[in-house]
Amino acid sequence: MQWSESYLMQTYARYPLCLVRGEGARVWDAEGKEYLDFTSGHVVLGLGHCHPRVVGMIREQAATLTNVSNLFHSPPGIHLAKLLVERSFADRVFFSNSGAEANEGAIKLARKYAKETFSSDRYEIIATRNSFHGRTLATLTATGQEKVWHGFEPLVPGFKHVPYNDLRAVERAIDNRTAAVLVEPIQGEGGVVVPDDGYLPGLRKLCDAAGILLILDEIQTGMGRAGALWAYQHSGVAPDIMTLAKALANGIPIGATLATEAVAAILTRGSHGSTFGGSPFATAVGLTTLTTVLEENLPERAARVGRFLIGRLEAMRQTHPLIKQVRGRGLLIGIELTAPAAPVVTRCRERGLLVLTAGDTVVRLAPPLIVSERDVERALGILDSALGEAVP
């Protein structure tokens, strides 16, 4: 850890913990202490640590073919794109390396579509406050949190921010310069905020009426995390563009921008690219991950275990006045407190449970979709103790 402080850029407030091994929903530190990982590697490991099918594919593909230029065809990427299309609204897929790169591609696609379909003055993206879309310059500009902007101004022009879950605010913001609306179907970093049932259908209607695109950032909610394969499926409407990353290859870096045929056709040869995006290695692992999620019906499992967790946390709210609200969908759950969340996160870690914050006052639970009932019960016990000790 001393070398970490000495040699790595200090862009993260790392916990005093050095993790060296993982299996399923558990990790171990350098001293051999065991922890329940209810962070899933920051919502990346839907299948948990070192899932046997993923490990097997990593070994197999690493020994077969890791990377080729995108000037050549490669079977794993083709098969993963086909499966994503068959299981979503989309007709086409562009592979990249991360969520930020996937969102960057979505922003570029929306701008080019609006300029070529309507006029060169149509380029603005409406995003929401407290959203999070990435750390590149365009995606941090799209992010609706001023704290991520500081020091990087001037920001990329052409973004507006409106309150989340407020259709009237979106309606007022749309004008003849608007190209698209970009939202998360559930705000993750912004505090695990689930919108009203009519929000996404309302956005769809507003976008259709104005002839603009609806982009859904499913980087955190996709791959079954929200109790359906894609969170938008809860709403009954589909986007024009969707972005994926995090859990798509269960820990191997990958991003994906999915779109309808009409929108995807705007990106012609040479207009966009990614050197490492869509490598045989990453897409082979992604294909194994998505196949496993589907074959083991993990979205349904996430919905069932999530309902149980939320029910138990709601019951806990009766005895812990520190809990203001419990919210979430599937296995993306936020516990909003009446006090800062960091002390509770620290007490949980000391007792062997790793959880995240989401904003200043929300404890975020995101266990792997394969988490066992026994581990959920153990986590609830640790949370109960940590909340009890955190009362001022």
mmCIF file of all heavy atoms in Angstrom, residues 123-169:
data_model
loop_
_atom_site.group_PDB
_atom_site.id
_atom_site.type_symbol
_atom_site.label_atom_id
_atom_site.label_comp_id
_atom_site.label_asym_id
_atom_site.label_seq_id
_atom_site.Cartn_x
_atom_site.Cartn_y
_atom_site.Cartn_z
ATOM 1 N N TYR A 123 -27.302 19.973 -32.204
ATOM 2 C CA TYR A 123 -26.214 19.178 -31.620
ATOM 3 C C TYR A 123 -26.318 19.015 -30.099
ATOM 4 O O TYR A 123 -25.563 18.273 -29.498
ATOM 5 C CB TYR A 123 -24.859 19.830 -31.945
ATOM 6 C CG TYR A 123 -24.739 21.250 -31.434
ATOM 7 C CD1 TYR A 123 -24.297 21.502 -30.148
ATOM 8 C CD2 TYR A 123 -25.102 22.328 -32.236
ATOM 9 C CE1 TYR A 123 -24.201 22.809 -29.672
ATOM 10 C CE2 TYR A 123 -25.013 23.633 -31.774
ATOM 11 C CZ TYR A 123 -24.571 23.867 -30.490
ATOM 12 O OH TYR A 123 -24.489 25.140 -30.019
ATOM 13 N N GLU A 124 -27.236 19.697 -29.446
ATOM 14 C CA GLU A 124 -27.259 19.696 -27.981
ATOM 15 C C GLU A 124 -27.799 18.378 -27.412
ATOM 16 O O GLU A 124 -28.705 17.759 -27.977
ATOM 17 C CB GLU A 124 -28.117 20.843 -27.460
ATOM 18 C CG GLU A 124 -27.401 22.183 -27.515
ATOM 19 C CD GLU A 124 -28.172 23.269 -26.789
ATOM 20 O OE1 GLU A 124 -29.356 23.060 -26.461
ATOM 21 O OE2 GLU A 124 -27.585 24.322 -26.558
ATOM 22 N N ILE A 125 -27.232 17.994 -26.294
ATOM 23 C CA ILE A 125 -27.663 16.812 -25.558
ATOM 24 C C ILE A 125 -28.269 17.276 -24.229
ATOM 25 O O ILE A 125 -27.622 18.028 -23.487
ATOM 26 C CB ILE A 125 -26.490 15.856 -25.259
ATOM 27 C CG1 ILE A 125 -25.707 15.528 -26.543
ATOM 28 C CG2 ILE A 125 -26.993 14.593 -24.558
ATOM 29 C CD1 ILE A 125 -26.407 14.653 -27.527
ATOM 30 N N ILE A 126 -29.470 16.828 -23.933
ATOM 31 C CA ILE A 126 -30.073 17.111 -22.627
ATOM 32 C C ILE A 126 -29.767 15.928 -21.706
ATOM 33 O O ILE A 126 -30.131 14.787 -22.003
ATOM 34 C CB ILE A 126 -31.596 17.306 -22.745
ATOM 35 C CG1 ILE A 126 -31.912 18.522 -23.624
ATOM 36 C CG2 ILE A 126 -32.221 17.469 -21.356
ATOM 37 C CD1 ILE A 126 -33.390 18.686 -23.927
ATOM 38 N N ALA A 127 -29.069 16.203 -20.618
ATOM 39 C CA ALA A 127 -28.770 15.180 -19.606
ATOM 40 C C ALA A 127 -29.403 15.616 -18.281
ATOM 41 O O ALA A 127 -30.095 16.634 -18.224
ATOM 42 C CB ALA A 127 -27.261 15.002 -19.476
ATOM 43 N N THR A 128 -29.163 14.852 -17.237
ATOM 44 C CA THR A 128 -29.856 15.153 -15.970
ATOM 45 C C THR A 128 -28.863 15.454 -14.847
ATOM 46 O O THR A 128 -27.722 14.989 -14.856
ATOM 47 C CB THR A 128 -30.752 13.968 -15.540
ATOM 48 O OG1 THR A 128 -29.942 12.815 -15.362
ATOM 49 C CG2 THR A 128 -31.826 13.705 -16.572
ATOM 50 N N ARG A 129 -29.339 16.224 -13.903
ATOM 51 C CA ARG A 129 -28.520 16.535 -12.730
ATOM 52 C C ARG A 129 -28.286 15.269 -11.898
ATOM 53 O O ARG A 129 -29.160 14.401 -11.832
ATOM 54 C CB ARG A 129 -29.205 17.610 -11.884
ATOM 55 C CG ARG A 129 -29.296 18.956 -12.601
ATOM 56 C CD ARG A 129 -30.070 19.973 -11.803
ATOM 57 N NE ARG A 129 -30.368 21.134 -12.643
ATOM 58 C CZ ARG A 129 -31.328 22.006 -12.397
ATOM 59 N NH1 ARG A 129 -32.104 21.864 -11.325
ATOM 60 N NH2 ARG A 129 -31.545 23.021 -13.210
ATOM 61 N N ASN A 130 -27.135 15.227 -11.273
ATOM 62 C CA ASN A 130 -26.712 14.081 -10.450
ATOM 63 C C ASN A 130 -26.452 12.815 -11.259
ATOM 64 O O ASN A 130 -26.293 11.743 -10.687
ATOM 65 C CB ASN A 130 -27.723 13.772 -9.346
ATOM 66 C CG ASN A 130 -27.747 14.853 -8.297
ATOM 67 O OD1 ASN A 130 -26.713 15.412 -7.949
ATOM 68 N ND2 ASN A 130 -28.931 15.178 -7.819
ATOM 69 N N SER A 131 -26.451 12.937 -12.583
ATOM 70 C CA SER A 131 -26.137 11.766 -13.406
ATOM 71 C C SER A 131 -24.633 11.506 -13.395
ATOM 72 O O SER A 131 -23.846 12.340 -12.943
ATOM 73 C CB SER A 131 -26.603 12.010 -14.846
ATOM 74 O OG SER A 131 -25.943 13.154 -15.384
ATOM 75 N N PHE A 132 -24.241 10.334 -13.912
ATOM 76 C CA PHE A 132 -22.820 10.042 -14.117
ATOM 77 C C PHE A 132 -22.683 9.273 -15.422
ATOM 78 O O PHE A 132 -23.314 8.236 -15.611
ATOM 79 C CB PHE A 132 -22.226 9.221 -12.972
ATOM 80 C CG PHE A 132 -20.735 9.045 -13.126
ATOM 81 C CD1 PHE A 132 -19.865 10.008 -12.644
ATOM 82 C CD2 PHE A 132 -20.209 7.952 -13.795
ATOM 83 C CE1 PHE A 132 -18.486 9.879 -12.810
ATOM 84 C CE2 PHE A 132 -18.841 7.814 -13.975
ATOM 85 C CZ PHE A 132 -17.973 8.785 -13.472
ATOM 86 N N HIS A 133 -21.822 9.818 -16.325
ATOM 87 C CA HIS A 133 -21.681 9.195 -17.642
ATOM 88 C C HIS A 133 -20.236 8.929 -18.039
ATOM 89 O O HIS A 133 -20.006 8.436 -19.147
ATOM 90 C CB HIS A 133 -22.359 10.067 -18.700
ATOM 91 C CG HIS A 133 -23.827 10.245 -18.483
ATOM 92 N ND1 HIS A 133 -24.731 9.197 -18.565
ATOM 93 C CD2 HIS A 133 -24.560 11.341 -18.138
ATOM 94 C CE1 HIS A 133 -25.957 9.640 -18.308
ATOM 95 N NE2 HIS A 133 -25.891 10.929 -18.043
ATOM 96 N N GLY A 134 -19.251 9.260 -17.169
ATOM 97 C CA GLY A 134 -17.886 8.923 -17.512
ATOM 98 C C GLY A 134 -16.908 10.025 -17.188
ATOM 99 O O GLY A 134 -17.271 11.085 -16.670
ATOM 100 N N ARG A 135 -15.625 9.784 -17.506
ATOM 101 C CA ARG A 135 -14.548 10.690 -17.125
ATOM 102 C C ARG A 135 -13.806 11.287 -18.314
ATOM 103 O O ARG A 135 -12.813 11.988 -18.112
ATOM 104 C CB ARG A 135 -13.548 9.943 -16.242
ATOM 105 C CG ARG A 135 -14.120 9.464 -14.920
ATOM 106 C CD ARG A 135 -14.236 10.576 -13.919
ATOM 107 N NE ARG A 135 -14.607 10.061 -12.598
ATOM 108 C CZ ARG A 135 -14.680 10.813 -11.513
ATOM 109 N NH1 ARG A 135 -14.428 12.097 -11.581
ATOM 110 N NH2 ARG A 135 -15.028 10.287 -10.350
ATOM 111 N N THR A 136 -14.198 10.958 -19.552
ATOM 112 C CA THR A 136 -13.596 11.680 -20.673
ATOM 113 C C THR A 136 -14.187 13.085 -20.686
ATOM 114 O O THR A 136 -15.168 13.368 -19.983
ATOM 115 C CB THR A 136 -13.907 10.981 -22.006
ATOM 116 O OG1 THR A 136 -15.327 11.022 -22.226
ATOM 117 C CG2 THR A 136 -13.435 9.530 -21.992
ATOM 118 N N LEU A 137 -13.628 13.981 -21.490
ATOM 119 C CA LEU A 137 -14.068 15.374 -21.404
ATOM 120 C C LEU A 137 -15.537 15.533 -21.793
ATOM 121 O O LEU A 137 -16.284 16.275 -21.136
ATOM 122 C CB LEU A 137 -13.180 16.263 -22.282
ATOM 123 C CG LEU A 137 -13.238 17.756 -21.954
ATOM 124 C CD1 LEU A 137 -12.956 18.015 -20.474
ATOM 125 C CD2 LEU A 137 -12.254 18.536 -22.812
ATOM 126 N N ALA A 138 -15.979 14.837 -22.829
ATOM 127 C CA ALA A 138 -17.384 14.958 -23.227
ATOM 128 C C ALA A 138 -18.306 14.280 -22.216
ATOM 129 O O ALA A 138 -19.371 14.818 -21.880
ATOM 130 C CB ALA A 138 -17.599 14.355 -24.612
ATOM 131 N N THR A 139 -17.899 13.117 -21.712
ATOM 132 C CA THR A 139 -18.807 12.403 -20.804
ATOM 133 C C THR A 139 -18.828 13.015 -19.406
ATOM 134 O O THR A 139 -19.844 12.948 -18.722
ATOM 135 C CB THR A 139 -18.447 10.910 -20.705
ATOM 136 O OG1 THR A 139 -17.089 10.761 -20.283
ATOM 137 C CG2 THR A 139 -18.632 10.223 -22.051
ATOM 138 N N LEU A 140 -17.729 13.656 -18.980
ATOM 139 C CA LEU A 140 -17.810 14.354 -17.696
ATOM 140 C C LEU A 140 -18.630 15.629 -17.844
ATOM 141 O O LEU A 140 -19.280 16.071 -16.902
ATOM 142 C CB LEU A 140 -16.433 14.616 -17.100
ATOM 143 C CG LEU A 140 -15.511 15.712 -17.592
ATOM 144 C CD1 LEU A 140 -15.846 17.060 -16.975
ATOM 145 C CD2 LEU A 140 -14.065 15.368 -17.219
ATOM 146 N N THR A 141 -18.641 16.222 -19.063
ATOM 147 C CA THR A 141 -19.524 17.353 -19.303
ATOM 148 C C THR A 141 -20.984 16.897 -19.273
ATOM 149 O O THR A 141 -21.854 17.598 -18.738
ATOM 150 C CB THR A 141 -19.221 18.001 -20.665
ATOM 151 O OG1 THR A 141 -17.833 18.349 -20.732
ATOM 152 C CG2 THR A 141 -20.045 19.258 -20.850
ATOM 153 N N ALA A 142 -21.258 15.729 -19.828
ATOM 154 C CA ALA A 142 -22.621 15.192 -19.787
ATOM 155 C C ALA A 142 -23.033 14.856 -18.362
ATOM 156 O O ALA A 142 -24.219 14.926 -18.014
ATOM 157 C CB ALA A 142 -22.704 13.944 -20.663
ATOM 158 N N THR A 143 -22.066 14.487 -17.535
ATOM 159 C CA THR A 143 -22.359 14.156 -16.134
ATOM 160 C C THR A 143 -22.907 15.376 -15.402
ATOM 161 O O THR A 143 -22.345 16.462 -15.476
ATOM 162 C CB THR A 143 -21.073 13.657 -15.444
ATOM 163 O OG1 THR A 143 -20.691 12.418 -16.042
ATOM 164 C CG2 THR A 143 -21.288 13.465 -13.955
ATOM 165 N N GLY A 144 -23.992 15.195 -14.688
ATOM 166 C CA GLY A 144 -24.649 16.324 -14.037
ATOM 167 C C GLY A 144 -24.191 16.558 -12.614
ATOM 168 O O GLY A 144 -25.013 16.729 -11.714
ATOM 169 N N GLN A 145 -22.877 16.536 -12.404
ATOM 170 C CA GLN A 145 -22.322 16.782 -11.073
ATOM 171 C C GLN A 145 -21.147 17.745 -11.208
ATOM 172 O O GLN A 145 -20.114 17.393 -11.804
ATOM 173 C CB GLN A 145 -21.848 15.475 -10.434
ATOM 174 C CG GLN A 145 -22.944 14.430 -10.293
ATOM 175 C CD GLN A 145 -22.466 13.176 -9.571
ATOM 176 O OE1 GLN A 145 -21.812 13.256 -8.544
ATOM 177 N NE2 GLN A 145 -22.784 12.023 -10.130
ATOM 178 N N GLU A 146 -21.303 18.943 -10.644
ATOM 179 C CA GLU A 146 -20.281 19.974 -10.815
ATOM 180 C C GLU A 146 -18.924 19.546 -10.253
ATOM 181 O O GLU A 146 -17.880 19.989 -10.735
ATOM 182 C CB GLU A 146 -20.740 21.266 -10.143
ATOM 183 C CG GLU A 146 -21.920 21.922 -10.845
ATOM 184 C CD GLU A 146 -22.270 23.256 -10.231
ATOM 185 O OE1 GLU A 146 -21.462 23.781 -9.435
ATOM 186 O OE2 GLU A 146 -23.359 23.774 -10.540
ATOM 187 N N LYS A 147 -18.920 18.673 -9.250
ATOM 188 C CA LYS A 147 -17.643 18.288 -8.638
ATOM 189 C C LYS A 147 -16.710 17.594 -9.621
ATOM 190 O O LYS A 147 -15.483 17.630 -9.444
ATOM 191 C CB LYS A 147 -17.887 17.389 -7.421
ATOM 192 C CG LYS A 147 -18.502 16.045 -7.748
ATOM 193 C CD LYS A 147 -18.792 15.239 -6.487
ATOM 194 C CE LYS A 147 -19.382 13.879 -6.825
ATOM 195 N NZ LYS A 147 -19.763 13.116 -5.612
ATOM 196 N N VAL A 148 -17.249 16.952 -10.657
ATOM 197 C CA VAL A 148 -16.376 16.279 -11.629
ATOM 198 C C VAL A 148 -15.911 17.233 -12.725
ATOM 199 O O VAL A 148 -15.056 16.881 -13.530
ATOM 200 C CB VAL A 148 -17.049 15.045 -12.267
ATOM 201 C CG1 VAL A 148 -17.592 14.113 -11.210
ATOM 202 C CG2 VAL A 148 -18.133 15.429 -13.252
ATOM 203 N N TRP A 149 -16.490 18.443 -12.777
ATOM 204 C CA TRP A 149 -16.093 19.412 -13.808
ATOM 205 C C TRP A 149 -14.882 20.238 -13.394
ATOM 206 O O TRP A 149 -14.140 20.713 -14.244
ATOM 207 C CB TRP A 149 -17.250 20.386 -14.105
ATOM 208 C CG TRP A 149 -18.537 19.769 -14.521
ATOM 209 C CD1 TRP A 149 -18.738 18.513 -14.996
ATOM 210 C CD2 TRP A 149 -19.824 20.398 -14.495
ATOM 211 N NE1 TRP A 149 -20.062 18.307 -15.265
ATOM 212 C CE2 TRP A 149 -20.760 19.443 -14.973
ATOM 213 C CE3 TRP A 149 -20.277 21.663 -14.125
ATOM 214 C CZ2 TRP A 149 -22.119 19.731 -15.079
ATOM 215 C CZ3 TRP A 149 -21.631 21.949 -14.241
ATOM 216 C CH2 TRP A 149 -22.545 20.991 -14.715
ATOM 217 N N HIS A 150 -14.739 20.453 -12.056
ATOM 218 C CA HIS A 150 -13.769 21.429 -11.567
ATOM 219 C C HIS A 150 -12.347 21.127 -12.039
ATOM 220 O O HIS A 150 -11.847 20.018 -11.902
ATOM 221 C CB HIS A 150 -13.799 21.472 -10.033
ATOM 222 C CG HIS A 150 -15.082 22.034 -9.500
ATOM 223 N ND1 HIS A 150 -15.512 21.836 -8.213
ATOM 224 C CD2 HIS A 150 -16.032 22.804 -10.096
ATOM 225 C CE1 HIS A 150 -16.670 22.441 -8.048
ATOM 226 N NE2 HIS A 150 -17.011 23.025 -9.166
ATOM 227 N N GLY A 151 -11.714 22.158 -12.584
ATOM 228 C CA GLY A 151 -10.336 22.039 -13.042
ATOM 229 C C GLY A 151 -10.201 21.641 -14.495
ATOM 230 O O GLY A 151 -9.096 21.661 -15.039
ATOM 231 N N PHE A 152 -11.325 21.241 -15.120
ATOM 232 C CA PHE A 152 -11.254 20.772 -16.504
ATOM 233 C C PHE A 152 -11.948 21.721 -17.483
ATOM 234 O O PHE A 152 -12.102 21.391 -18.651
ATOM 235 C CB PHE A 152 -11.865 19.366 -16.599
ATOM 236 C CG PHE A 152 -11.175 18.373 -15.718
ATOM 237 C CD1 PHE A 152 -11.805 17.871 -14.585
ATOM 238 C CD2 PHE A 152 -9.887 17.956 -16.002
ATOM 239 C CE1 PHE A 152 -11.167 16.959 -13.755
ATOM 240 C CE2 PHE A 152 -9.236 17.052 -15.175
ATOM 241 C CZ PHE A 152 -9.872 16.546 -14.051
ATOM 242 N N GLU A 153 -12.385 22.886 -16.988
ATOM 243 C CA GLU A 153 -13.025 23.849 -17.857
ATOM 244 C C GLU A 153 -12.010 24.443 -18.853
ATOM 245 O O GLU A 153 -10.822 24.507 -18.531
ATOM 246 C CB GLU A 153 -13.661 24.965 -17.009
ATOM 247 C CG GLU A 153 -14.712 24.486 -16.022
ATOM 248 C CD GLU A 153 -14.106 24.130 -14.666
ATOM 249 O OE1 GLU A 153 -12.854 24.008 -14.588
ATOM 250 O OE2 GLU A 153 -14.860 23.976 -13.709
ATOM 251 N N PRO A 154 -12.403 24.900 -20.038
ATOM 252 C CA PRO A 154 -13.793 24.933 -20.497
ATOM 253 C C PRO A 154 -14.290 23.548 -20.898
ATOM 254 O O PRO A 154 -13.555 22.766 -21.505
ATOM 255 C CB PRO A 154 -13.744 25.865 -21.700
ATOM 256 C CG PRO A 154 -12.342 25.734 -22.218
ATOM 257 C CD PRO A 154 -11.476 25.516 -21.020
ATOM 258 N N LEU A 155 -15.538 23.286 -20.553
ATOM 259 C CA LEU A 155 -16.144 21.997 -20.867
ATOM 260 C C LEU A 155 -16.596 21.974 -22.331
ATOM 261 O O LEU A 155 -16.588 22.996 -23.017
ATOM 262 C CB LEU A 155 -17.330 21.752 -19.934
ATOM 263 C CG LEU A 155 -17.000 21.764 -18.440
ATOM 264 C CD1 LEU A 155 -18.263 21.572 -17.615
ATOM 265 C CD2 LEU A 155 -15.977 20.685 -18.096
ATOM 266 N N VAL A 156 -16.975 20.794 -22.774
ATOM 267 C CA VAL A 156 -17.436 20.640 -24.159
ATOM 268 C C VAL A 156 -18.785 21.343 -24.304
ATOM 269 O O VAL A 156 -19.694 21.108 -23.508
ATOM 270 C CB VAL A 156 -17.581 19.143 -24.504
ATOM 271 C CG1 VAL A 156 -18.156 18.968 -25.906
ATOM 272 C CG2 VAL A 156 -16.239 18.435 -24.372
ATOM 273 N N PRO A 157 -18.942 22.228 -25.273
ATOM 274 C CA PRO A 157 -20.230 22.914 -25.426
ATOM 275 C C PRO A 157 -21.320 21.955 -25.921
ATOM 276 O O PRO A 157 -21.028 20.920 -26.511
ATOM 277 C CB PRO A 157 -19.927 23.995 -26.471
ATOM 278 C CG PRO A 157 -18.763 23.476 -27.232
ATOM 279 C CD PRO A 157 -17.946 22.671 -26.263
ATOM 280 N N GLY A 158 -22.580 22.328 -25.651
ATOM 281 C CA GLY A 158 -23.682 21.576 -26.220
ATOM 282 C C GLY A 158 -24.365 20.624 -25.261
ATOM 283 O O GLY A 158 -24.982 19.650 -25.711
ATOM 284 N N PHE A 159 -24.266 20.868 -23.958
ATOM 285 C CA PHE A 159 -24.961 20.012 -22.986
ATOM 286 C C PHE A 159 -25.824 20.873 -22.068
ATOM 287 O O PHE A 159 -25.417 21.953 -21.650
ATOM 288 C CB PHE A 159 -23.959 19.218 -22.140
ATOM 289 C CG PHE A 159 -23.239 18.144 -22.909
ATOM 290 C CD1 PHE A 159 -22.061 18.440 -23.588
ATOM 291 C CD2 PHE A 159 -23.747 16.853 -22.980
ATOM 292 C CE1 PHE A 159 -21.396 17.464 -24.310
ATOM 293 C CE2 PHE A 159 -23.085 15.868 -23.697
ATOM 294 C CZ PHE A 159 -21.902 16.174 -24.358
ATOM 295 N N LYS A 160 -27.026 20.387 -21.770
ATOM 296 C CA LYS A 160 -27.926 21.016 -20.801
ATOM 297 C C LYS A 160 -28.242 19.987 -19.723
ATOM 298 O O LYS A 160 -28.303 18.787 -20.017
ATOM 299 C CB LYS A 160 -29.255 21.411 -21.452
ATOM 300 C CG LYS A 160 -29.242 22.599 -22.375
ATOM 301 C CD LYS A 160 -30.670 22.808 -22.900
ATOM 302 C CE LYS A 160 -30.744 23.979 -23.863
ATOM 303 N NZ LYS A 160 -32.102 24.065 -24.453
ATOM 304 N N HIS A 161 -28.475 20.463 -18.507
ATOM 305 C CA HIS A 161 -28.850 19.548 -17.430
ATOM 306 C C HIS A 161 -30.174 19.970 -16.809
ATOM 307 O O HIS A 161 -30.377 21.144 -16.522
ATOM 308 C CB HIS A 161 -27.747 19.502 -16.361
ATOM 309 C CG HIS A 161 -26.477 18.907 -16.865
ATOM 310 N ND1 HIS A 161 -25.455 19.665 -17.398
ATOM 311 C CD2 HIS A 161 -26.075 17.611 -16.966
ATOM 312 C CE1 HIS A 161 -24.476 18.866 -17.788
ATOM 313 N NE2 HIS A 161 -24.824 17.621 -17.535
ATOM 314 N N VAL A 162 -31.032 18.990 -16.627
ATOM 315 C CA VAL A 162 -32.353 19.229 -16.038
ATOM 316 C C VAL A 162 -32.531 18.264 -14.867
ATOM 317 O O VAL A 162 -31.832 17.242 -14.785
ATOM 318 C CB VAL A 162 -33.476 19.002 -17.078
ATOM 319 C CG1 VAL A 162 -33.341 19.978 -18.240
ATOM 320 C CG2 VAL A 162 -33.465 17.555 -17.581
ATOM 321 N N PRO A 163 -33.449 18.541 -13.956
ATOM 322 C CA PRO A 163 -33.680 17.600 -12.845
ATOM 323 C C PRO A 163 -34.108 16.222 -13.357
ATOM 324 O O PRO A 163 -34.844 16.116 -14.344
ATOM 325 C CB PRO A 163 -34.796 18.276 -12.052
ATOM 326 C CG PRO A 163 -34.721 19.717 -12.415
ATOM 327 C CD PRO A 163 -34.279 19.753 -13.846
ATOM 328 N N TYR A 164 -33.633 15.186 -12.671
ATOM 329 C CA TYR A 164 -34.023 13.808 -13.021
ATOM 330 C C TYR A 164 -35.470 13.571 -12.632
ATOM 331 O O TYR A 164 -35.971 14.148 -11.669
ATOM 332 C CB TYR A 164 -33.109 12.829 -12.274
ATOM 333 C CG TYR A 164 -33.224 11.385 -12.712
ATOM 334 C CD1 TYR A 164 -32.831 10.994 -13.981
ATOM 335 C CD2 TYR A 164 -33.714 10.413 -11.842
ATOM 336 C CE1 TYR A 164 -32.903 9.662 -14.383
ATOM 337 C CE2 TYR A 164 -33.792 9.078 -12.232
ATOM 338 C CZ TYR A 164 -33.385 8.711 -13.510
ATOM 339 O OH TYR A 164 -33.463 7.395 -13.900
ATOM 340 N N ASN A 165 -36.135 12.736 -13.393
ATOM 341 C CA ASN A 165 -37.522 12.343 -13.091
ATOM 342 C C ASN A 165 -38.470 13.530 -13.217
ATOM 343 O O ASN A 165 -39.475 13.595 -12.515
ATOM 344 C CB ASN A 165 -37.605 11.735 -11.683
ATOM 345 C CG ASN A 165 -38.830 10.860 -11.508
ATOM 346 O OD1 ASN A 165 -39.396 10.363 -12.477
ATOM 347 N ND2 ASN A 165 -39.254 10.687 -10.264
ATOM 348 N N ASP A 166 -38.173 14.482 -14.090
ATOM 349 C CA ASP A 166 -38.982 15.689 -14.273
ATOM 350 C C ASP A 166 -39.237 15.880 -15.770
ATOM 351 O O ASP A 166 -38.421 16.469 -16.492
ATOM 352 C CB ASP A 166 -38.244 16.899 -13.680
ATOM 353 C CG ASP A 166 -39.111 18.160 -13.684
ATOM 354 O OD1 ASP A 166 -40.079 18.227 -14.469
ATOM 355 O OD2 ASP A 166 -38.793 19.076 -12.909
ATOM 356 N N LEU A 167 -40.373 15.388 -16.225
ATOM 357 C CA LEU A 167 -40.678 15.456 -17.660
ATOM 358 C C LEU A 167 -40.901 16.885 -18.126
ATOM 359 O O LEU A 167 -40.535 17.248 -19.249
ATOM 360 C CB LEU A 167 -41.921 14.605 -17.965
ATOM 361 C CG LEU A 167 -41.729 13.089 -17.865
ATOM 362 C CD1 LEU A 167 -43.062 12.372 -18.000
ATOM 363 C CD2 LEU A 167 -40.760 12.607 -18.948
ATOM 364 N N ARG A 168 -41.515 17.708 -17.278
ATOM 365 C CA ARG A 168 -41.757 19.097 -17.679
ATOM 366 C C ARG A 168 -40.441 19.825 -17.928
ATOM 367 O O ARG A 168 -40.342 20.652 -18.837
ATOM 368 C CB ARG A 168 -42.558 19.823 -16.586
ATOM 369 C CG ARG A 168 -44.012 19.375 -16.471
ATOM 370 C CD ARG A 168 -44.811 19.766 -17.719
ATOM 371 N NE ARG A 168 -44.748 21.189 -17.981
ATOM 372 C CZ ARG A 168 -45.522 22.110 -17.415
ATOM 373 N NH1 ARG A 168 -46.426 21.744 -16.527
ATOM 374 N NH2 ARG A 168 -45.404 23.394 -17.724
ATOM 375 N N ALA A 169 -39.437 19.528 -17.110
ATOM 376 C CA ALA A 169 -38.136 20.182 -17.287
ATOM 377 C C ALA A 169 -37.511 19.783 -18.629
ATOM 378 O O ALA A 169 -36.905 20.613 -19.312
ATOM 379 C CB ALA A 169 -37.205 19.804 -16.136
#
